[in-house]
Amino acid sequence: MNEVRFKLKTLLVFLAACCGSGAWTIARGEQPPASGVLPPLYERFAPAEGAQPASDETPDFQKHVSPLLGRLGCNGRACHGSFQGQGGFRLSLFGYDFEADYQALLEEGAGRVDLENKLDSLILTKPVDADMHEGGQRYEHGGWEYWVLRRWIEAGAPFDKQHVQQLQRLEVTPPELLFTAAGQRKPLRVVAHWSDGTAEDVTCLCRYHTNDSAVAEIDADGVVTAGDVGDTHVVVSYDNAVVPIPVLRPVSDRTGARYPEIAYGSEVDRLILEKLQKLGIVPSERCTDEEFLRRVSLDVTGTLPSPAEVLAFVQDADPQKRARKLEELLERPAYAARWTTFLCDITGNNDDQLRNFLPQSARPADQWYQWIFQRVRQNVPYDQIVEGIIAAQSRLPGESYREYCQAMTEICRDPDGEKFADRPGLVHYWARNNFRTAEERAIGVAYSFLGIRIQCAQCHKHPFDQWSKEDFDNFERLFSTVQAQQNTMAPDAKQEYEAMLKELGLGKDLRGNNLRRKLGELLREGKTVPFPELIVRPLRTNNQKRKGRGEPAEPPRAKLLGGDWVTMDQPDVRGKLMEWLRDPNNPYFAKAIVNRVWAEYFGVGIVDPPDDLSLANAPSNAALLRYLEQGFIQSGYDLKWLHRQIVLSDAYQRSWRTNETNAQDKRNFSHFTLRRLPAETTFDAVRMALIQDDYRQKIADLEMDRALTRAGASARNNGRDPESYALTVFGRSVRESNCDCDRSNEPSLLQTVFLVNDPVVQEWLSDPKTGWVAQVARKYGWELPKQRGGASSDQQRRRAEQQLKNLRNQLKPIEERLAEARERGNTRMVQQLQKRVQDVRKQIQKVAKAAGIDGGSDATDSLRGGQAGSGIAPSQARWIIETAYLRTLSRMPTEEEFVAADNYLRSEENPTQGVEALVWSLINTKEFVLNH
């Protein structure tokens, strides 16, 4: 393959030399370059018959030499761009530190660029010799790459670091690639437009990669090859520009005029259908009323609908009932709780990280939660919520330090933290232990409010975005003036602070945690204690004069990401940061929250993952994201406007059941995607399914504590109580790093074990006072369940019998396929199926042995019904079964499900235990733990 490529490239170079500048263009299938655009280097530096290029121009270090080294792989991670470099030679990763790279190339005595013996320069001699160069041959001696580097060296290797040129835009054509078959190839053409008005074809100098190699591949020359059906992006990088190009290959022939006519009810749906039509994807049908109600209740409020609510909604004939139901849900306190938890996730409310700020008896995580809850409940515009975080101040205008301490003392006596919500600023955001340095704050603010990951730019140019180390350093400086620690306070407060300590009888030798502990004790005793506060220390201008000049030095400056410079000598630069965030032209602020909320409803963002709005990670539907972003800004950053746009769309209301065209679609919203419920919602749903009606309603109305109202994530609480353990098992966000991956929605064996047999589940199931099973038993005068922390031997046996039945049901089709494979003589398939049969049989023996059941007999006869049992009346059985399904799955049982449940209940000698087993089996279905 290498030999073929070598010969092909040699042929193309020969054609370029013999036939002029159009030969390479014809070979790539391109059109000739547009007038006013410099042709690519491979044309201008192709060797002529005399073995030298006809052009005598001097290549530019920034425009040509540095990107050429990138194309050749010299400044990649595996070569000289690695942190330690290679062979004593280190370049900046991907070549974006022009000055450093230039100095490395011209390092005295290294010989990489030898201006005395120019043709002996190592960058001309080593890369052409595979034996001499550890990285192998990178280009051919006498090829166009060789002549670009040679001409530059012969001209004295010029580079003026004071006049780095600005790339205005990178134009890539075509702007979208549409393929119809695998193996089709189409070239890209890339033109750089510079600030001086010049334009140049830089196709041969770009770096290329694909976001999904199964759908499309792209080679080093920018030629895209189609693969499987679907859509992705190929990404072009040059200088500081990163440009994604959509690539589509329809999944069916239902495109263009052959696409079915589908009505749409909103601009959201029009934009989605526009993309689906290109892909030949037909969306799923509308979901049922039961599915919609369960889906929207869990998504909007994190709460299961009640049985009465389900029945009333299904019977309602109003065509606008879904819109009315959404408005009703948006007014419930559980809506505020569910979305407060979401905002606490992305802002990092973690009580472990807040332990060293307030006195020990204070509850800063609860105060944080309540501060956000009140604003979500009141539908405060999102930009105002963020302003209260970004520009937070400890004291109110005109408030003295002692008055501030009196107010905070009163707030910290509130066990729920609700009083703190009346303070205008969320100072706690700045007081976390993992949010102390300017670097941590720059990364955290970018993650929380811009949806971008700039960690890479701490050390080098971001590989898939525009941010350089210089950009990071300039942005980071914005956060160097804020302090919020245990011992910080304004200068005017220090004397008052010492006076308050003296009044409390505390000496100066009491510090750190010992002081916090003592202040916490005094706080509980009702004493007013001193508190730390957030302070801002402006960076002042250095008084020294500029060297050789009489004028004073310029004030220190910071720079907004992709925005303006900000002088650091003003009272609080966070005001400028907030102005920039809410500027309608800000490319990230509104887009980040819109995309994140969309991902909460669909399980996947328009940009996914949602916390990576890098240029290379392009949106699956750019027009859709732009519409929602602009509409959200025009609404005044109204979060409820955003919820309405999403929930009332056809896309959200589609069924999870797929058709032949959309079964594999995961990113274009043609059907609803099944996804596991978040940890807090799962825990609350199990509890609400098993608790009696009046308590269930109190949980829904937040009149009882629930997981959804639990404030701060904490690693220290993971094993302290059943709720913490359960939330950890189901993947609650740990809020420890600036990454959405702090929360996990992946299924695990521990989750299954928890639902099957965790003591807390068994306690709820059999609680004689508050359990729903006990409510049923009292209703019909049956024996109350006996509360237990684990399953009884009878329950264990019944569950083992059910497991055995399920395993045998799995075994039967495998044995049938094994027989068919033997008939066809498919040896490989026979071996695979034999192993699966053995595995299932081993599992049957294991379950049977643990329960003391004969594994060889049918241990599930008691589940088949028909035997004399408890004598439950038919009307009783119907009410119990239907209510159990409505409480757990928010729907009525099918006829088949009803018959199976009815036979089982009526065959059970103890009706109470029969109801327990029925409800237990329902919460252990996939349908219960998935939102569908």
Side-chain angles (χ1 to χ4, degrees):
M1 179 61 71
N2 290 335
E3 183 180 356
V4 172
R5 291 184 64 187
F6 172 80
K7 289 180 178 178
L8 176 60
K9 288 187 176 181
T10 304
L11 174 62
L12 291 173
V13 170
F14 173 78
L15 287 172
C18 297
C19 307
S21 64
W24 183 285
T25 298
I26 294 170
R28 295 178 75 251
E30 294 179 352
Q31 297 299 316
S35 60
V37 176
L38 280 172
L41 289 181
Y42 57 70
E43 294 183 6
R44 285 141 57 197
F45 286 88
E49 288 188 37
Q52 289 197 16
S55 173
D56 61 355
E57 69 174 290
T58 299
D60 182 275
F61 180 74
Q62 177 189 352
K63 292 181 177 180
H64 305 135
V65 175
S66 181
L68 177 57
L69 294 177
R71 172 190 167 87
L72 296 173
C74 304
N75 52 32
R77 291 189 185 94
C79 201
H80 300 288
S82 66
F83 184 75
Q84 68 275 12
Q86 289 286 343
F89 176 31
R90 180 187 174 194
L91 294 170
S92 64
L93 186 62
F94 306 125
Y96 290 94
D97 190 337
F98 300 120
E99 183 178 355
D101 290 351
Y102 182 77
Q103 295 298 330
L105 285 167
L106 273 75
E107 181 183 348
E108 187 174 352
R112 296 166 195 133
V113 173
D114 188 340
L115 294 181
E116 292 185 5
N117 302 294
K118 296 176 180 177
L119 296 187
D120 293 332
S121 297
L122 292 177
I123 67 167
L124 292 178
T125 58
K126 283 190 74 171
V128 299
D129 190 329
D131 295 327
M132 184 180 178
H133 188 231
E134 289 184 17
Q137 184 183 25
R138 308 314 299 171
Y139 58 87
E140 300 166 16
H141 186 280
W144 69 269
E145 300 96 334
Y146 171 86
W147 281 107
V148 168
L149 296 174
R150 177 171 166 172
R151 285 280 195 255
W152 176 66
I153 295 172
E154 287 177 334
F159 172 62
D160 184 356
K161 64 180 182 182
Q162 302 299 327
H163 295 89
V164 174
Q165 301 180 64
Q166 298 299 314
L167 178 66
Q168 282 193 330
R169 64 187 176 94
L170 195 66
E171 177 188 3
V172 184
T173 53
E176 180 179 88
L177 293 172
L178 182 61
F179 292 105
T180 57
Q184 287 183 330
R185 291 163 58 83
K186 293 183 180 180
L188 296 177
R189 180 168 183 260
V190 187
V191 175
H193 295 266
W194 298 93
S195 57
D196 62 2
T198 60
E200 178 179 357
D201 187 322
V202 293
T203 308
C204 63
L205 295 175
C206 296
R207 291 185 296 110
Y208 303 97
H209 79 268
T210 176
N211 286 347
D212 188 346
S213 59
V215 176
E217 292 186 340
I218 186 167
D219 65 17
D221 298 320
V223 178
V224 183
T225 303
D228 295 340
V229 296
D231 65 304
T232 186
H233 289 82
V234 292
V235 181
V236 183
S237 301
Y238 174 79
D239 200 79
N240 68 341
V242 179
V243 180
I245 300 298
V247 181
L248 303 94
R249 185 184 160 208
V251 303
S252 75
D253 61 356
R254 300 182 189 181
T255 59
R258 289 188 293 274
Y259 195 75
E261 195 166 321
I262 300 173
Y264 56 85
S266 68
E267 182 66 6
V268 167
D269 294 302
R270 186 190 71 79
L271 294 169
I272 290 174
L273 285 172
E274 191 174 83
K275 173 81 178 287
L276 296 179
Q277 185 174 17
K278 291 181 181 180
L279 287 166
I281 295 176
V282 179
S284 295
E285 299 295 327
R286 204 180 198 214
C287 67
T288 66
D289 283 343
E290 294 95 333
E291 288 171 334
F292 173 79
L293 181 61
R294 188 178 200 268
R295 179 186 302 176
V296 73
S297 298
L298 290 168
D299 278 342
V300 175
T301 67
T303 308
L304 283 171
S306 69
E309 189 176 2
V310 176
L311 293 175
F313 187 75
V314 172
Q315 293 165 7
D316 189 346
D318 184 357
Q320 297 300 316
K321 65 181 180 181
R322 295 191 179 192
R324 284 193 295 104
K325 177 55 68 175
L326 174 60
E327 294 304 316
E328 179 187 328
L329 293 172
L330 291 174
E331 294 304 314
R332 292 182 182 177
Y335 156 75
R338 185 260 182 270
W339 292 97
T340 295
T341 296
F342 163 75
L343 290 174
C344 284
D345 280 355
I346 65 174
T347 54
N349 182 12
N350 183 316
D351 40 12
D352 274 352
Q353 302 299 334
L354 292 165
R355 292 183 184 277
N356 296 325
F357 185 54
L358 300 181
Q360 278 194 355
S361 61
R363 301 172 63 100
D366 293 314
Q367 294 169 4
W368 185 320
Y369 180 95
Q370 294 294 344
W371 189 92
I372 294 180
F373 178 87
Q374 183 186 93
R375 284 151 181 79
V376 176
R377 188 86 168 95
Q378 296 171 353
N379 200 34
V380 172
Y382 176 70
D383 65 321
Q384 294 181 27
I385 295 176
V386 175
E387 182 177 25
I389 299 173
I390 289 292
Q393 298 282 356
S394 291
R395 297 192 220 172
L396 303 177
E399 189 176 44
S400 69
Y401 177 71
R402 184 174 286 269
E403 289 170 339
Y404 159 70
C405 292
Q406 290 170 344
M408 286 300 298
T409 297
E410 189 65 28
I411 285 169
C412 289
R413 290 197 187 109
D414 173 18
D416 299 321
E418 292 183 14
K419 291 183 178 180
F420 182 76
D422 294 330
R423 303 293 289 189
L426 183 56
V427 174
H428 302 354
Y429 177 79
W430 297 91
R432 291 169 289 161
N433 294 332
N434 60 352
F435 204 69
R436 294 269 175 92
T437 67
E439 294 94 333
E440 290 169 339
R441 289 168 175 173
I443 293 169
V445 168
Y447 163 76
S448 297
F449 307 117
L450 302 175
I452 58 178
R453 305 172 181 176
I454 60 170
Q455 293 93 320
C456 292
Q458 282 180 283
C459 302
H460 55 76
K461 163 73 170 61
H462 196 295
F464 305 121
D465 214 336
Q466 61 186 302
W467 313 121
S468 66
K469 185 178 186 302
E470 184 179 4
D471 291 324
F472 182 91
D473 293 343
N474 289 331
F475 183 61
E476 167 208 327
R477 211 170 295 124
L478 278 170
F479 305 97
S480 58
T481 62
V482 181
Q483 296 181 30
Q485 300 177 29
Q486 181 184 352
N487 58 351
T488 57
M489 61 200 67
D492 69 321
K494 289 185 178 180
Q495 189 173 353
E496 191 69 38
Y497 171 80
E498 293 175 359
M500 292 180 71
L501 287 180
K502 188 174 181 181
E503 291 169 11
L504 294 168
L506 302 178
K508 294 182 179 180
D509 56 333
L510 202 59
R511 298 178 181 177
N513 286 333
N514 291 331
L515 177 60
R516 285 184 61 247
R517 190 179 302 111
K518 187 61 180 177
L519 291 176
E521 293 173 1
L522 294 170
L523 190 66
R524 287 190 293 271
E525 293 173 7
K527 303 286 178 59
T528 296
V529 302
F531 279 79
E533 57 181 337
L534 181 148
I535 61 174
V536 179
R537 300 184 191 274
L539 296 180
R540 300 301 180 188
T541 303
N542 192 322
N543 289 327
Q544 289 183 340
K545 306 290 185 180
R546 290 188 185 178
K547 284 187 178 181
R549 302 182 187 179
E551 69 268 22
E554 291 183 359
R557 299 192 304 168
K559 192 176 184 182
L560 302 162
L561 280 177
D564 297 330
W565 287 95
V566 177
T567 58
M568 298 294 293
D569 59 349
Q570 51 191 295
D572 192 346
V573 295
R574 294 179 301 162
K576 291 292 184 182
L577 174 61
M578 193 60 226
E579 286 178 18
W580 172 69
L581 287 176
R582 60 156 51 106
D583 186 324
N585 295 317
N586 186 297
Y588 301 105
F589 181 63
K591 184 184 298 179
I593 190 65
V594 162
N595 186 57
R596 276 185 162 128
V597 172
W598 181 279
E600 290 293 299
Y601 282 107
F602 285 91
V604 61
I606 304 172
V607 174
D608 201 72
D611 61 343
D612 183 17
L613 296 183
S614 64
L615 294 175
N617 189 32
S620 60
N621 193 320
L624 172 62
L625 184 57
R626 186 164 51 251
Y627 165 75
L628 289 171
E629 175 192 11
Q630 293 173 352
F632 182 59
I633 295 171
Q634 292 167 7
S635 75
Y637 297 93
D638 183 352
L639 288 168
K640 288 187 177 180
W641 175 90
L642 183 56
H643 292 301
R644 293 184 188 104
Q645 289 290 312
I646 296 173
V647 171
L648 298 180
S649 68
D650 297 335
Y652 179 77
Q653 297 181 51
R654 297 202 186 284
S655 172
W656 57 270
R657 298 170 183 84
T658 58
N659 56 53
E660 61 181 357
T661 69
N662 72 351
Q664 301 303 316
D665 177 34
K666 293 181 173 64
R667 62 198 305 265
N668 291 298
F669 320 113
S670 62
H671 62 87
F672 192 80
T673 302
L674 297 174
R675 49 189 165 82
R676 190 174 62 73
L677 299 175
E680 297 87 348
T681 303
T682 302
F683 187 86
D684 288 340
V686 174
R687 190 178 177 200
M688 293 179 73
L690 302 180
I691 205 166
Q692 66 187 41
D693 292 341
D694 53 346
Y695 284 103
R696 178 183 174 122
Q697 191 58 48
K698 288 181 179 179
I699 293 174
D701 295 339
L702 307 190
E703 295 176 11
M704 290 176 63
D705 288 338
R706 54 185 294 188
L708 201 59
T709 59
R710 187 161 184 151
S714 172
R716 301 186 189 185
N717 283 338
N718 285 345
R720 285 186 175 180
D721 58 77
E723 185 174 322
S724 293
Y725 170 74
L727 293 177
T728 301
V729 165
F730 284 97
R732 185 195 193 194
S733 176
V734 294
R735 302 174 186 167
E736 290 179 343
S737 65
N738 297 297
C739 180
D740 285 356
C741 58
D742 278 347
R743 177 178 290 275
S744 172
N745 287 322
E746 295 299 317
S748 71
L749 179 60
L750 281 177
Q751 295 166 11
T752 302
V753 172
F754 177 85
L755 292 173
V756 168
N757 205 35
D758 191 85
V760 71
V761 175
Q762 297 302 321
E763 288 172 12
W764 291 341
L765 184 64
S766 57
D767 191 328
K769 296 181 179 179
T770 63
W772 181 72
V773 174
Q775 179 183 334
V776 173
R778 285 191 292 270
K779 177 183 177 74
Y780 294 118
W782 299 339
E783 177 186 356
L784 290 175
K786 297 178 181 178
Q787 187 167 13
R788 54 184 74 87
S792 68
S793 57
D794 287 344
Q795 288 174 320
Q796 289 175 339
R797 181 180 178 87
R798 284 196 302 275
R799 289 167 194 173
E801 290 170 349
Q802 184 65 53
Q803 283 182 281
L804 289 171
K805 181 179 179 180
N806 293 338
L807 288 169
R808 290 195 177 94
N809 288 339
Q810 293 177 26
L811 185 61
K812 185 176 179 181
I814 299 173
E815 290 176 331
E816 290 174 352
R817 290 176 60 196
L818 176 60
E820 292 174 3
R822 283 173 174 157
E823 288 179 6
R824 294 195 303 267
N826 190 335
T827 305
R828 184 178 177 185
M829 183 62 71
V830 167
Q831 291 175 346
Q832 292 176 349
L833 292 172
Q834 281 178 333
K835 185 177 184 308
R836 290 184 62 187
V837 168
Q838 291 172 0
D839 290 343
V840 175
R841 285 178 175 167
K842 285 180 183 178
Q843 202 169 352
I844 289 174
Q845 293 298 326
K846 183 178 179 180
V847 172
K849 183 178 180 180
I853 301 172
D854 180 5
S857 65
D858 187 350
T860 60
D861 288 341
S862 63
L863 296 175
R864 294 180 177 175
Q867 299 92 343
S870 61
I872 297 178
S875 60
Q876 294 175 342
R878 176 166 292 280
W879 180 86
I880 291 169
I881 294 167
E882 290 180 351
T883 305
Y885 269 81
L886 289 168
R887 289 176 63 86
T888 54
L889 307 184
S890 307
R891 65 171 177 84
M892 297 289 277
T894 65
E895 185 60 30
E896 182 181 0
E897 290 168 339
F898 177 81
V899 170
D902 182 57
N903 287 341
Y904 174 67
L905 280 181
R906 295 172 65 186
S907 67
E908 184 62 47
E909 291 186 7
N910 186 322
T912 303
Q913 292 183 358
V915 176
E916 279 187 7
L918 172 63
V919 178
W920 174 87
S921 66
L922 289 173
I923 65 169
N924 278 280
T925 60
K926 288 183 180 179
E927 186 176 353
F928 180 77
V929 295
L930 294 177
N931 201 352
H932 49 81

